[in-house]
Amino acid sequence: MIQIAKVILKENIKSRIKNGHPWIYENEIEKVEGEYESGDIVDVFYHSMDFLGKGYINNNSRIRVRLLTRKNIKIDKEFFVEKLKKILSIKSKLVKDTEGFRVVFSEADGLPGFVVDKFGEYLVIQIGSLGMEKLKPFLIDALVEVLSPKGIFEKSDYAAREREGLEKFRGWIYKNGPELIEFRMNGLVFYADTLGQKTGFFLDQRENVRLIKDFVGGKEVLDVFSYTGSFAAHSLKYGARHVILVDYSKRALDVANMILKKNGFDGKYELINANAFDFLRKLYKEGEKLFEVIILDPPAFAKSFEDRRRAYRGYKEINLRAMKLLKEGGTLVTASCSRVVTEQDFLIVLYDAASDAKKKIQILKRGNQPPDHAPTLNIFESFYLKFFIFNVDSEKLLAIQ
Ligand code: SAH
């Protein structure tokens, strides 16, 4: 029998680990006993030699071990089948009116380095760590057993893989499927683009996007950072007069075009392939075109704590300009998906933008992550999405009210 290496933690480690966080940093480890290779499963013990759990180890990562379980059980296909069943028993009650949802949300769902999105009868997965890469055969078998998909596409094409010593990869790994996977969500038809961004579609805004319903009827809407047009399609479904979509990805706009056509919104939208910062700056300088609703759903501007200041500047700039491009009493729909920017930070940035724009902004709706992306309080990194709908008024008008 192969002996599993033992990782023994230091005595005075933070309570984080004891309280449910799955990451063990290199400087929290006292010693490792036994042979192992990066990516292998190891047994983890407290300094007292009490058993803590099992996880996978990687010498190339500062997060040396990620725990998969706190029980002393085998990590095999059955282990993942049980995990998936448990996750689905919760999510199936909470996720409604959609053929697209996140089956596995990595750490928050107890499976570090693993993401699974379901679109119709297909699955798109992402593997972000060497340990999970080694467990891939079990993961695939478990997914097939529990969900019986028509096909599984792996979209492990993001930069974080390199830190784990992994190559990027993209392709069908179980049966086959279309390049654009069709699915229904909120009564609309969408495509997850297997050659697009992330898993092909941003399911995390699925519930927030419904919150725009009462604000867009009969309105001219600007959807900035549109990707494949989820906010645009919802705006039109909820009665918007016309939508302008802006994205610097030509491919995203091509797919948006197909989605909007498919839903019967021909002639009600315009696609603009541009850098959002330049576009907003230009409109602002021209000072003519005013919108009734502006949606800002940018990518994460900061990936690390060190980048935070740059992210604040980015958020401030686009929100400030949007506030100025809105008609009196207009609606600003604004989001941040940077994990390192807290809700409090984001609100302060918005407050700053409003002060400079001389606007009063009132929060009419707020949103965050839907239950299939539910954050786990014990793992604060799993909180990332902030979403607000503001009414934007000018200070001058308030003064004479
Ligand atoms: N609102 C979308 C998701 C947006 S993701 C939805 O609900 O589906 C962020 C998008 O911003 C991506 O499509 C990306 O191509 C685009 N993007 C990133 N930086 C940009 C920039 N500087 N200018 C224009 N688009 C940008």
Side-chain angles (χ1 to χ4, degrees):
M1 209 188 107
I2 308 162
Q3 209 58 43
I4 291 182
K6 288 183 178 167
V7 172
I8 298 146
L9 302 186
K10 287 187 179 157
E11 191 160 13
N12 293 316
I13 50 163
K14 298 225 174 74
S15 56
R16 190 190 85 249
I17 296 174
K18 186 160 65 71
N19 293 340
H21 202 290
W23 295 352
I24 294 166
Y25 287 96
E26 56 177 317
N27 62 4
E28 292 169 315
I29 295 174
E30 171 96 26
K31 61 179 172 187
V32 184
E33 289 176 357
E35 301 283 307
Y36 69 92
E37 279 175 24
S38 281
D40 283 354
I41 298 287
V42 291
D43 285 336
V44 183
F45 294 85
Y46 288 110
H47 196 261
S48 59
M49 287 312 282
D50 287 329
F51 181 78
L52 167 60
K54 271 178 195 280
Y56 53 78
I57 189 163
N58 188 347
N59 285 347
N60 297 320
S61 174
R62 268 185 58 236
I63 305 171
R64 190 56 50 92
V65 178
R66 286 170 211 235
L67 294 171
L68 288 166
T69 176
R70 303 218 169 210
K71 293 187 192 138
N72 199 354
I73 51 175
K74 230 171 131 194
I75 309 291
D76 54 8
K77 175 191 158 190
E78 271 320 301
F79 171 81
F80 292 113
V81 166
E82 289 313 308
K83 278 254 183 189
L84 286 172
K85 283 186 180 163
K86 193 171 158 205
I87 295 169
L88 285 167
S89 73
I90 299 172
K91 293 190 180 181
S92 58
K93 289 191 209 103
L94 299 169
V95 176
K96 297 198 183 88
D97 201 16
T98 180
E99 291 174 1
F101 71 97
R102 176 148 293 189
V103 179
V104 177
F105 177 40
S106 207
E107 270 80 353
D109 282 335
L111 292 172
F114 190 48
V115 164
V116 181
D117 279 354
K118 186 170 190 293
F119 299 110
E121 295 183 80
Y122 296 94
L123 301 176
V124 177
I125 70 163
Q126 291 184 311
I127 292 184
S129 63
L130 179 61
M132 278 307 198
E133 182 75 27
K134 285 202 177 175
L135 294 164
K136 195 151 98 183
F138 291 148
L139 293 170
I140 305 305
D141 286 353
L143 286 172
V144 170
E145 178 171 325
V146 177
L147 290 155
S148 319
K150 264 193 175 168
I152 302 177
F153 189 86
E154 181 175 351
K155 205 160 172 310
S156 300
D157 53 2
Y158 48 107
R161 297 251 306 177
E162 281 154 24
R163 266 181 272 140
E164 288 274 322
L166 292 165
E167 311 247 295
K168 292 184 184 172
F169 176 80
R170 188 162 75 184
W172 288 96
I173 52 168
Y174 172 75
K175 296 194 177 164
N176 238 304
E179 188 172 296
L180 297 177
I181 306 172
E182 188 175 316
F183 68 101
R184 295 188 74 85
M185 175 181 111
N186 298 336
L188 290 160
V189 179
F190 289 97
Y191 299 118
D193 181 6
T194 57
L195 302 182
Q197 300 177 30
K198 298 286 171 81
T199 60
F201 192 88
F202 293 89
L203 291 168
D204 53 0
Q205 294 282 28
R206 189 184 59 251
E207 296 198 346
N208 295 336
V209 76
R210 291 184 200 149
L211 300 179
I212 67 173
K213 186 169 184 229
D214 298 326
F215 300 92
V216 293
K219 300 284 163 62
E220 170 79 22
V221 176
L222 177 62
D223 178 8
V224 190
F225 306 96
S226 66
Y227 188 54
T228 52
S230 174
F231 278 95
H234 283 84
S235 299
L236 291 167
K237 173 185 152 104
Y238 299 139
R241 193 170 70 243
H242 184 259
V243 185
I244 296 179
L245 293 80
V246 182
D247 203 287
Y248 68 14
S249 160
K250 173 75 170 53
R251 182 172 175 97
L253 291 178
D254 288 346
V255 177
N257 195 22
M258 291 174 65
I259 290 173
L260 294 171
K261 276 211 166 78
K262 177 96 180 168
N263 286 287
F265 298 132
D266 251 334
K268 292 196 153 180
Y269 60 92
E270 185 187 344
L271 305 165
I272 299 184
N273 190 200
N275 183 308
F277 285 85
D278 298 343
F279 176 80
L280 290 172
R281 211 172 290 142
K282 186 164 149 270
L283 276 192
Y284 176 71
K285 278 207 186 117
E286 287 166 359
E288 277 168 28
K289 181 109 184 149
L290 287 180
F291 294 87
E292 292 162 303
V293 180
I294 299 183
I295 299 162
L296 300 174
D297 184 21
F301 285 150
K303 296 255 193 279
S304 66
F305 274 96
E306 295 74 44
D307 288 346
R308 264 180 316 168
R309 308 256 156 251
R310 194 161 50 88
Y312 297 156
R313 277 201 299 279
Y315 288 123
K316 180 166 174 188
E317 172 164 350
I318 56 173
N319 281 283
L320 169 67
R321 296 207 192 276
M323 286 175 200
K324 293 208 168 185
L325 286 168
L326 278 170
K327 286 187 181 159
E328 193 55 37
T331 302
L332 174 65
V333 178
T334 187
S336 159
C337 62
S338 303
R339 211 161 45 169
V340 294
V341 174
T342 64
E343 183 174 275
Q344 177 90 6
D345 293 340
F346 188 48
L347 286 173
I348 290 171
V349 169
L350 294 171
Y351 168 82
D352 267 358
S355 316
D356 286 9
K358 299 196 169 39
K359 301 286 179 184
K360 179 194 170 213
I361 60 170
Q362 186 171 26
I363 301 176
L364 299 181
K365 296 260 180 192
R366 59 208 302 169
N368 42 57
Q369 291 158 233
D372 52 328
H373 292 66
T376 290
L377 194 53
N378 316 53
I379 311 170
F380 71 88
E381 294 87 348
S382 61
F383 283 88
Y384 69 98
L385 189 59
K386 286 79 62 187
F387 178 90
F388 295 97
I389 300 182
F390 286 101
N391 182 63
V392 180
D393 271 324
S394 78
E395 251 175 12
K396 255 196 206 138
L397 275 191
L398 280 175
I400 54 165
Q401 260 173 13

